[in-house]
Amino acid sequence: MPSTAQHFPDLTPETAPPAARRPLEQITRKLGYLPSAAARLAHSPQLLDGFLKLTALFDATELDPLVRETVVLTIATRNGCHLCVAMHTAKLTHLDADPALIAALRAQQPLPDPRLEAVRRFVHSALDHTGAVPEPELAAFLAHGFTRRNALEIVLGIGAYTLSTFANRLTDAPIDPQLAAHA
């Protein structure tokens, strides 16, 4: 299939629409480089802003970083976003996550940690049933110590990272050299 990348060239803080310039500058300062994904999302300042706000909200939930990254990598693999898989593999590696956990998430296989497997299964159920998770599956998730609030926080993560995986696939964002080791 031909690439859509030609329609979404990387923008810079100088070439982006005015509303996207400051966020691109902030991302560059935070990471030390401007990821191609952000440079392409900037074609829609509203999408870039929405994604940044949604991810900040998701990061502020009661869910611990390992649970959040389990949600994200589950979405990334399910949606086939190679860039997101690399980026969130890097994040899990930075969190000192068990390599077996990372491998299972990337392979879309059951996880070695029962609590995180409950998260992975809940994400799939929420997507499979467009949010109407069957009661037994919700009960199984809650039985691992999660709360109703956590279930809704995972829905927030699903929304944020469905947006990003779809946008990254549409723009055909490449894997930046900084993430190549995690591809």
Side-chain angles (χ1 to χ4, degrees):
M1 174 159 49
S3 173
T4 57
Q6 66 183 340
H7 299 287
F8 300 98
D10 287 7
L11 299 176
T12 66
E14 295 76 30
T15 62
R21 292 177 182 168
R22 186 169 182 199
L24 290 182
E25 290 168 351
Q26 292 170 333
I27 292 166
T28 303
R29 273 194 306 277
K30 179 180 178 183
L31 299 178
Y33 73 101
L34 180 59
S36 189
R40 292 176 186 206
L41 294 184
H43 284 277
S44 171
Q46 293 79 9
L47 186 137
L48 178 62
D49 183 55
F51 174 67
L52 293 172
K53 286 178 178 173
L54 286 171
T55 57
L57 289 169
F58 185 56
D59 288 346
T61 65
E62 291 183 345
L63 301 170
D64 67 63
L66 196 53
V67 169
R68 290 194 310 267
E69 288 303 316
T70 297
V71 171
V72 177
L73 201 47
T74 299
I75 297 289
T77 57
R78 181 182 172 113
N79 290 346
C81 182
H82 68 287
L83 168 63
C84 302
V85 169
M87 185 176 301
H88 293 281
T89 295
K91 284 189 176 185
L92 281 164
T93 301
H94 179 73
L95 291 171
D96 292 323
D98 181 351
L101 170 70
I102 296 170
L105 279 164
R106 289 175 59 108
Q108 300 184 59
Q109 298 296 315
L111 307 182
D113 179 318
R115 186 169 181 269
L116 295 176
E117 174 61 9
V119 170
R120 188 186 75 82
R121 292 180 65 120
F122 181 78
V123 169
H124 280 286
S125 184
L127 290 165
D128 291 346
H129 300 285
T130 57
V133 175
E135 195 287 328
E137 294 178 33
L138 176 59
F141 170 75
L142 296 172
H144 281 87
F146 293 104
T147 66
R148 294 174 295 213
R149 177 179 179 161
N150 297 150
L152 292 170
E153 290 170 338
I154 287 174
V155 170
L156 171 63
I158 290 169
Y161 287 95
T162 297
L163 179 134
S164 109
T165 58
F166 281 23
N168 289 333
R169 289 188 56 153
L170 175 64
T171 64
D172 199 18
I175 295 173
D176 297 299
Q178 295 84 343
L179 299 173
H182 302 286

